[in-house]
């Protein structure tokens, strides 16, 4: 059982909880298994004490390296505040270290844990870690979500390298105040370090569970609720604090008032303990002097401090939960002319109000800070907040301030402006609101750049709240900014409302650029809500305005926005022209990133249209541009198109080799769209390798990823994922479930330009695959083939030829199958059936083999089958169909050999439909070899049965 290790103020009454925690720690270290521990409890129950005890055990008994961070109860422009604290402690970076010193120390820390053979670039990891710590660096140039993804990946790589050296424990306090981005990162870290000796211990109040719980699955998770101590444990703690010489009445009073809360009991002892130790056991006086609440008790302790101590803790409460000693010195100088508060801080540490770590102070409890701050009048708070803000503003003048400075000055100016409005003291500070709005806007832009949409929205809202009704310029800019971040967070209605308000203000101002930006923002919101016509109208008007004022950057952005909206709804014809025009504009501006993304979009369009060579050219340029920019996120998107191109060529191994690593990168980066697209590629690869169950699972994951955001729910990607999921279900024998998925795919694509024609095509091809050609034959041939470009027509022709043959129209089928196998191939050997997603040559030749067998053209059947076998892009199903064709058409030894080949191919798959076809073919072949009519039994009505029986009975023509 657990025994307290601490020699001073031992942890009492938590022995059972510590037994559970130490066992979890032992399992994590011994079995190299990631462990998440969440300690929940109300203020004062000892969450931090327990977490500190676990850290000490991890270090002493397991040699674990310990890092810690703390969330704060107020917003920061840098959402990674607690992560930054963890990194500073791990890299030895001080809060006030400049960029050069921070980079040097971070690089040294990364190099000390990194394996030189793991292939990771030290510089990219250092850049990411510095970004999380709030420093300037290359990631500042990236779009917000990609910058966040790169920084998150750098953190994970650093932690992975660290944990390979020695077990690692990270402690995060007060997780209930964490930004959603931090909570998302926690899940990502736990997922990536699932099989490593990594322990994350977080403390939080129960309110955290209303918005987040640790993800379950790959890592071990333990949620431990800390209840108040029982009476016996509280009595032991009291003895440890004041000794045994306490009369029963006083003991009972203290224990009753504490109610099992260790912090409350310690505060009670701090308030009256000296009298108890001195032997003053006047129970009535002691009881009457004790406050009724914990907050009242803390307030009483503060009243017992000297004036200087009270002033310093009031300064600290206004500053925040923690900070550097230098900050308290600065405030004391500004407010009272006192140059050095170190002596006073030491007194507060001795009084258990502060904790001191080097030159960093923190309140021993957040409750103490809350009580101290609440005691200040609004005018006192105003004076301190404004004094801090103005002082830091002066320090920041003359250069761009870092995140920490921006965080602090914004918070204090905004709070001061609000307090000023409440107390009516604005007469002497007419520019306070203006400065508060300016800083809020800068902090909002910084948060937006980090991809922290909700935080940016809050900061833009602060600016709108503070800006006066007469300041149309500030209100317009804040509305445009909030519209932009609301659109990114997929609050389309809010984004449209903000853009409309901004448009009215811009027209009031007579400012054409702000008017164009407002139109662009409203167009984005409308496009994402499905109002395509209205969006196009706003974009057209915005482009006209940008043209009239010569704003080429604005025009390029609007053009690409127009094209991207069309591309995401699968309207490649409408998308290509504006994106091509945007590309030229970005090139003329020297905007390399805009150029790279436009090239990627054009590659996507070309690939969707089957123009493989054009796609290869565009994607090669895009990859080169992203490499030059050092943008791994954009690079992954460009390389993802290469995976699709390989898939279209039938190069399954290459497609999987490219898609697999990109999928893992997207998972680390939190790029759900990229993750979904790569899962779709892998689902197709698995489907045509015969791993149908795996294909269904990948497709299901892709569908879930697409549906995780309304952004992706209306894209062609969801249609493709549902379509392959439906086809896989059918091939596994679930005909009804597969049909439902295929119908859902058509429904999901209603908002796209093709209106579900892709999914409908897959559905019709699948019907032919299971021997039900009627649905396809109801479609006229010219309409079926005309649904795709000429480069893909051969595959549609092959499918139609097979349907004709299944329907008994052999002569028509043979002519069309020959054209599909040989005619289109001469023009474009890389063409493929977009609906079926199978390599063109193998598929078309396999169909030709089947149709030729039914026509009695045995020599043509055999040649086509051998070409399928020799083809490097033929799938298992192509090969099975070709083998079956020869097997049923040739009653001799050759037919038996091809039948055996089909059975061997089938054995490596879990395709139920193919298994049924092979079984049927074997029965037909055996019947023919025995000189009796083909025995098709209970599948006599199957179109496949009719086709195979016809092939078995057809007179062989031209056999060698």
């Amino acid at each position: 059982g657990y025994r307290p290790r601490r020699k001073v103020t031992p942890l009492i009454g938590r022995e059972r909880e510590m037994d559970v925690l130490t066992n979890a720690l032992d399992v994590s270290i011994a079995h190299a298994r990631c462990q998440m521990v969440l300690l929940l409890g109300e203020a004062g129950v000892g969450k931090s004490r327990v977490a500190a005890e676990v850290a000490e055990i991890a270090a002493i008994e397991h040699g674990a390296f310990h890092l810690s961070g703390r969330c704060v109860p107020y917003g920061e422009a840098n959402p990674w505040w607690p992560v930054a604290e963890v990194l500073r402690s791990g890299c030895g970076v001080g809060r006030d270290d400049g960029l050069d010193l921070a980079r040097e120390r971070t690089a040294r820390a990364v190099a000390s844990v990194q394996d030189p053979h793991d292939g990771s670039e030290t510089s990219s990891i250092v850049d990411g870690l510095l970004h999380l710590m709030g420093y300037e660096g290359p990631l500042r140039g990236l779009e917000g979500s990609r910058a966040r993804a790169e920084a998150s990946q750098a953190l994970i790589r650093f932690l992975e390298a660290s944990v390979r050296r020695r077990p690692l424990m990270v402690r995060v306090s007060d997780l209930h105040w964490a930004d959603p981005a931090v909570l998302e990162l926690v899940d990502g870290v736990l997922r990536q370090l699932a099989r490593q000796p990594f322990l994350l211990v977080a403390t939080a109040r129960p309110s955290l569970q209303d918005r987040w719980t640790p993800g379950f699955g790959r890592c071990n998770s333990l949620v431990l609720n800390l209840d108040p101590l029982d009476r016996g444990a509280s009595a032991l703690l009291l003895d440890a604090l004041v000794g045994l010489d306490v009369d029963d009445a006083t003991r009972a009073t203290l224990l009753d008032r504490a109610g099992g809360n260790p912090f409350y009991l310690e505060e009670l002892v701090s308030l009256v303990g000296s009298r108890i130790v001195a032997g003053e056991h006047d129970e009535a006086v002691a009881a009457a002097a004790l406050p009724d609440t914990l907050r009242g008790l803390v307030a009483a302790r503060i009243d017992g401090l000297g004036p200087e101590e009270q002033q310093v803790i009031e300064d600290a409460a206004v500053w925040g939960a923690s900070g550097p000693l230098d900050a308290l010195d600065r405030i004391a100088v500004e407010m009272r002319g006192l140059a050095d508060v170190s002596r006073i801080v030491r007194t507060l540490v001795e009084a258990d109000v502060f904790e001191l770590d080097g030159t960093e102070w923190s309140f021993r409890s957040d409750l103490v800070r809350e009580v101290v701050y609440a005691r200040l009048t609004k005018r006192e708070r105003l004076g301190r907040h404004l004094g801090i803000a103005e002082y830091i503003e002066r320090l920041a003048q003359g250069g761009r301030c870092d995140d920490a400075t921006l965080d602090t000055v914004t918070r204090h100016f905004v709070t001061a402006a609000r307090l000023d409005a409440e107390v009516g003291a604005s007469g002497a500070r007419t520019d306070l609101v203006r400065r508060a709005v300016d800083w809020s806007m800068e902090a909002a832009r910084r948060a937006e750049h980090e991809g922290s949409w909700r935080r940016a929205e809050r900061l833009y809202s602060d600016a709108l709240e503070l800006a006066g009704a007469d300041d149309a310029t500030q209100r317009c800019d804040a509305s445009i900014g909030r519209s932009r971040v609301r659109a990114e967070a997929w609050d389309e209605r809010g984004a449209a409302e903000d853009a409309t308000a901004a448009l009215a203000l811009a027209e009031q101002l007579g400012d054409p650029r702000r008017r164009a930006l407002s139109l662009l923002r409203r167009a984005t919101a409308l496009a994402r809500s499905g109002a395509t016509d209205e969006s196009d109208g706003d974009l057209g008007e915005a482009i006209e305005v940008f043209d009239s004022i010569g704003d080429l950057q604005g025009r390029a952005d609007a053009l690409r926005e127009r094209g991207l909206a069309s591309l995401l709804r699968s309207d490649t014809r409408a998308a290509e022209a504006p994106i091509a025009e945007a590309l030229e504009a970005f090139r003329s501006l020297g905007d390399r990133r805009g150029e790279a993304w436009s090239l990627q979009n054009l590659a996507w369009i070309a690939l969707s249209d089957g123009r493989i060579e054009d796609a290869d050219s565009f994607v090669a340029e895009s990859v080169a541009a992203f490499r030059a920019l050092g943008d791994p996120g954009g690079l992954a998107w460009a390389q993802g198109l290469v995976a699709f191109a390989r898939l279209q060529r039938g190069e399954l191994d290459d497609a999987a080799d490219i898609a697999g690593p990109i999928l893992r990168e997207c998972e680390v980066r939190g790029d759900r769209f990229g993750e979904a697209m790569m899962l779709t590629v892998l689902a197709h690869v698995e489907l045509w390798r015969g791993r149908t169950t795996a294909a269904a699972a990948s497709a299901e994951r892709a569908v879930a990823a697409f549906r995780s955001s309304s952004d992706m729910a209306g894209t062609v990607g969801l249609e493709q994922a549902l379509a392959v999921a439906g086809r896989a279900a059918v091939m596994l024998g679930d005909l009804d479930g597969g049909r439902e998925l295929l119908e859902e795919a058509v429904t999901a694509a209603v908002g796209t330009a093709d209106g579900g024609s892709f999914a409908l095509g897959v559905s019709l091809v699948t019907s032919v695959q299971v021997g039900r050609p009627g649905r396809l034959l109801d479609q006229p041939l010219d309409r079926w083939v005309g649904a795709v470009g000429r480069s893909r027509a051969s595959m549609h022709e092959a499918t139609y030829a097979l349907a004709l043959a299944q329907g008994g129209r052999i002569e028509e089928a043979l002519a069309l199958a020959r054209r599909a196998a040989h005619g289109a191939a001469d023009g474009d050997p890389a063409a493929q059936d977009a609906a079926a997603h199978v390599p063109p040559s193998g598929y078309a030749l396999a169909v030709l083999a089947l149709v030729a067998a039914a026509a009695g053209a045995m020599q043509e059947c055999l040649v086509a089958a051998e070409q399928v076998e020799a083809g490097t892009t033929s799938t298992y199903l192509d090969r099975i169909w070709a083998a079956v064709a020869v097997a049923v058409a040739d009653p001799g030894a050759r037919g038996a050999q091809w039948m055996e080949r089909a059975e061997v191919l089938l054995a490596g798959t879990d395709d139920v439909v193919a298994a049924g076809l092979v079984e049927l073919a074997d029965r037909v072949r055996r019947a023919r070899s025995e000189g009796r009519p083909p025995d098709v039994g209970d599948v006599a009505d199957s179109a496949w049965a009719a086709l195979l029986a016809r092939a078995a009975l057809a007179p062989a023509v031209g056999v060698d």
Side-chain angles (χ1 to χ4, degrees):
Y2 169 76
R3 292 293 180 270
R5 272 75 167 180
R6 302 177 72 89
K7 296 178 180 178
V8 179
T9 315
L11 187 64
I12 292 173
R14 298 298 182 193
E15 289 80 10
R16 292 181 180 178
E17 291 91 339
M18 289 304 303
D19 278 341
V20 173
L21 292 171
T22 52
N23 287 336
L25 177 60
D26 291 342
V27 169
S28 176
I29 303 300
H31 298 285
R33 188 73 179 183
C34 176
Q35 175 75 55
M36 165 69 181
V37 174
L38 180 60
L39 301 175
L40 294 177
E42 299 296 344
V45 297
K47 302 183 297 293
S48 297
R49 182 70 64 82
V50 170
E53 190 77 11
V54 174
E56 186 173 337
I57 296 169
I60 294 174
E61 299 186 3
H62 297 283
F65 186 45
H66 172 231
L67 304 174
S68 63
R70 183 182 190 183
C71 305
V72 292
Y74 39 81
E76 300 288 352
N78 177 13
W80 308 108
W81 184 267
V83 181
E85 285 204 325
V86 168
L87 289 173
R88 288 191 194 100
S89 63
C91 298
V93 175
R95 187 177 301 196
D96 294 328
D97 286 349
L99 174 59
D100 291 341
L101 180 57
R103 178 175 292 279
E104 176 186 340
R105 290 178 172 174
T106 303
R108 187 184 307 125
V110 172
S112 69
V113 298
Q114 191 176 27
D115 182 347
H117 304 295
D118 73 353
S120 299
E121 294 185 8
T122 301
S123 60
S124 65
I125 296 176
V126 172
D127 288 340
L129 300 186
L130 290 173
H131 187 79
L132 291 173
M133 286 187 270
Y135 289 97
E136 291 292 325
L139 297 190
R140 287 286 189 210
L142 299 183
E143 181 269 332
S145 58
R146 294 201 304 280
R148 180 171 61 184
E150 294 307 314
S152 300
Q153 187 178 40
L155 173 65
I156 290 171
R157 287 177 175 171
F158 177 60
L159 294 177
E160 284 178 329
S162 299
V163 82
R164 283 195 293 267
R165 297 281 179 171
R166 59 189 293 195
L168 178 63
M169 174 181 169
V170 173
R171 179 161 54 110
V172 180
S173 302
D174 301 323
L175 199 61
H176 49 278
W177 281 317
D179 186 272
V182 173
L183 299 176
E184 182 180 341
L185 180 58
V186 167
D187 285 330
V189 168
L190 295 175
R191 185 169 58 248
Q192 293 299 315
L193 300 183
R195 299 195 178 277
Q196 302 291 344
F198 175 74
L199 180 67
L200 176 64
V201 177
T203 65
R205 295 179 188 174
S207 59
L208 173 68
Q209 294 180 300
D210 294 337
R211 64 189 184 104
W212 182 82
T213 54
F216 298 99
R218 298 181 66 183
C219 73
N220 295 331
S221 298
L222 172 63
V223 178
L224 197 61
N225 289 279
L226 297 184
D227 296 320
L229 298 177
D230 60 32
R231 187 80 171 188
S234 296
L236 290 174
L237 178 58
L238 178 59
D239 291 339
L241 293 170
V242 299
L244 299 175
D245 188 21
V246 180
D247 64 88
D248 292 342
T250 302
R251 176 185 295 273
T253 299
L254 293 173
L255 294 177
D256 288 343
R257 288 293 178 89
N261 187 298
F263 178 69
Y264 199 170
L265 182 58
E266 291 178 357
E267 290 296 302
L268 285 167
V269 170
S270 296
L271 185 64
V272 301
S274 59
R275 296 170 58 190
I276 294 173
V277 172
E280 300 175 11
H281 296 160
D282 186 338
E283 299 91 338
V285 173
L290 297 181
D292 291 326
T293 66
L294 181 55
R295 289 179 178 272
L297 179 59
V298 173
R301 279 204 62 203
I302 295 167
D303 286 338
L305 298 172
E308 289 185 332
E309 286 79 10
Q310 289 189 34
Q311 288 175 334
V312 169
I313 62 170
E314 288 167 356
D315 294 341
V318 173
W319 178 273
S322 62
L325 280 174
D326 184 50
L328 297 182
D329 279 334
R330 295 173 188 173
I331 299 172
V333 169
E334 290 289 313
M335 301 294 294
R336 297 180 297 280
L338 181 62
D340 184 8
V341 298
S342 58
R343 174 185 57 80
I344 302 172
V345 169
R346 285 195 297 272
T347 301
L348 292 169
V349 171
E350 292 171 0
D352 280 338
V353 175
F354 275 177
E355 291 179 349
L356 193 61
D357 182 7
T359 60
E360 295 284 321
W361 57 266
S362 62
F363 279 95
R364 178 169 171 262
S365 168
D366 289 315
L367 183 62
V368 175
R369 176 185 176 268
E370 293 169 13
V371 171
V372 173
Y373 189 81
R375 286 161 49 92
L376 294 169
T377 67
K378 289 184 178 180
R379 285 188 179 274
E380 288 173 327
R381 296 178 200 171
L382 169 60
R384 281 184 165 87
H385 280 296
L386 184 57
I388 293 170
E390 290 179 331
Y391 180 70
I392 298 175
E393 184 183 48
R394 288 196 298 272
L395 293 178
Q397 287 176 350
R400 181 184 175 91
C401 66
D402 60 22
D403 282 348
T405 303
L406 179 62
D407 291 341
T408 306
V409 72
T410 300
R411 178 164 53 86
H412 289 296
F413 262 127
V414 168
T415 305
R418 285 177 174 152
L419 289 167
D420 182 76
E422 290 176 12
V423 301
S426 60
R429 305 183 180 93
T430 56
D431 66 339
L432 175 56
V433 169
R434 178 189 57 78
R435 286 189 288 170
V437 171
D438 287 345
W439 282 106
S440 293
M441 292 287 286
E442 176 61 26
R445 285 187 285 267
R446 186 78 61 90
E448 181 182 351
H449 187 78
E450 297 294 332
S452 183
W453 312 125
R454 294 304 181 193
R455 184 178 297 278
E457 180 184 355
R458 178 181 58 76
L459 288 161
Y460 279 125
S461 296
D462 287 344
L464 281 167
E465 174 196 335
L466 294 172
D470 297 334
D471 196 335
T473 300
Q474 285 186 328
R475 293 187 61 79
C476 183
D477 290 345
S479 296
I480 290 172
R482 193 169 70 175
S483 174
R484 186 168 52 242
V485 298
R486 280 180 165 177
E488 291 295 341
W490 294 97
D491 175 8
E492 297 94 343
R493 178 178 296 181
E497 290 174 355
D498 281 338
T500 301
L503 182 60
L505 290 166
E507 290 173 346
Q508 174 187 327
L509 291 166
D511 188 321
R513 185 173 186 278
R514 286 185 169 89
R515 179 169 176 269
L517 289 172
S518 301
L519 288 165
L520 177 57
R521 298 277 60 84
R522 190 169 69 177
T524 300
L526 290 170
R528 297 192 180 192
S529 63
T532 306
D533 293 341
E534 295 91 332
S535 174
D536 285 344
D538 278 355
L539 283 170
E541 191 174 351
I543 291 170
E544 289 180 4
V545 176
F546 283 130
D547 285 343
S548 69
I549 61 176
D551 188 340
L552 187 57
Q553 182 71 55
R555 173 183 174 80
D557 290 337
L559 285 168
R560 183 169 174 266
E561 184 67 41
R562 169 180 279 176
L564 188 58
S566 298
L567 181 55
L568 287 175
R569 63 177 186 265
S570 195
D571 189 352
T572 55
R573 291 184 179 180
E576 187 163 18
I579 291 178
E581 191 175 348
L583 173 63
E584 294 306 313
F586 286 129
R587 281 174 168 165
S588 68
L589 290 165
D591 184 343
R592 189 71 164 142
R593 181 160 284 104
E595 178 185 356
W597 279 107
S598 297
L599 287 165
Q600 193 269 357
N601 297 160
L602 290 172
W604 186 352
I605 292 169
L607 191 62
S608 300
D609 290 344
R611 294 183 280 118
I612 307 299
E613 291 184 1
D614 288 346
D616 285 345
S617 176
F618 284 132
V619 81
E621 288 187 74
S622 179
V623 166
F626 282 125
R627 286 191 189 280
L629 288 166
D631 184 346
L635 183 62
W637 273 64
Q639 289 175 327
L641 290 178
V642 178
F644 271 102
R646 296 290 189 274
L647 180 67
Q648 287 205 14
R649 288 193 176 96
E651 299 167 2
L652 302 183
D653 291 342
D654 287 349
D657 289 344
I658 296 169
I662 295 176
L663 172 61
R664 291 189 289 274
E665 290 286 316
C666 290
E667 288 174 339
V668 171
R669 299 174 197 280
D671 181 352
R672 295 289 279 168
F673 188 86
E675 180 183 343
M677 294 300 285
M678 291 305 97
L679 283 167
T680 302
V681 171
L682 292 175
H684 281 299
V685 170
E686 288 156 348
L687 191 69
W688 299 119
R689 282 175 169 171
R691 297 199 286 267
T692 319
T693 302
S698 293
E700 183 179 351
R701 288 178 59 198
V703 169
F706 278 121
R707 284 178 168 162
S708 66
S709 167
S710 58
D711 175 8
M712 302 184 287
T715 69
V716 72
L718 177 60
E719 179 190 2
Q720 288 194 19
L722 283 166
V724 72
R727 187 162 190 177
V730 168
M731 292 166 72
L732 286 170
D734 182 7
L735 300 185
D736 292 338
R739 278 195 295 269
E740 288 179 5
L741 285 168
L742 290 168
E743 290 171 3
E744 190 177 353
V746 175
T747 302
V750 167
T752 63
D754 69 1
S757 64
F758 171 85
L760 179 61
V762 174
S763 179
L764 293 173
V765 170
T766 305
S767 294
V768 175
Q769 185 179 349
V770 297
R772 297 177 180 176
R775 293 180 62 213
L776 179 56
L777 293 179
D778 288 341
Q779 303 277 330
L781 174 60
D782 57 351
R783 180 179 177 185
W784 170 248
V785 175
V788 293
R790 182 59 218 170
S791 64
R792 291 175 176 163
S794 65
M795 294 321 303
H796 273 213
E797 288 174 341
T799 303
Y800 206 88
L802 180 57
L804 288 170
Q806 289 176 341
R809 297 157 64 180
I810 302 301
E811 289 186 9
E812 295 176 69
L814 185 58
L816 188 57
R818 285 169 175 166
R819 191 171 81 185
H822 302 303
D826 294 336
D828 186 359
Q832 99 161 53
D833 178 8
H837 274 235
V838 293
S841 58
Y843 178 69
L845 288 166
V847 170
L848 178 59
L850 286 164
V851 177
M858 185 60 206
Q859 184 62 32
E860 188 172 8
C861 168
L862 184 60
V863 170
E866 289 174 341
Q867 288 179 311
V868 171
E869 275 295 299
T872 59
T873 61
S874 299
T875 69
Y876 81 96
L877 191 58
D878 300 335
R879 298 177 194 277
I880 286 177
W881 282 5
V884 162
V886 178
V888 297
D890 189 335
R894 179 165 51 191
Q897 291 173 352
W898 281 86
M899 192 71 248
E900 184 179 352
R901 188 176 302 174
E903 291 170 345
V904 170
L905 287 165
L906 181 65
T909 79
D910 48 3
D911 183 343
V912 174
V913 173
L917 178 62
V918 171
E919 180 184 355
L920 175 63
D922 189 47
R923 287 159 60 181
V924 170
R925 187 194 67 79
R926 288 180 182 276
R928 183 177 186 186
S929 66
E930 295 170 3
R932 55 184 173 83
D935 177 16
V936 294
D938 57 353
V939 289
D941 62 342
S942 164
W944 271 118
L947 177 62
L948 296 180
R950 181 174 281 104
L953 296 174
V957 178
V959 180
D960 58 3

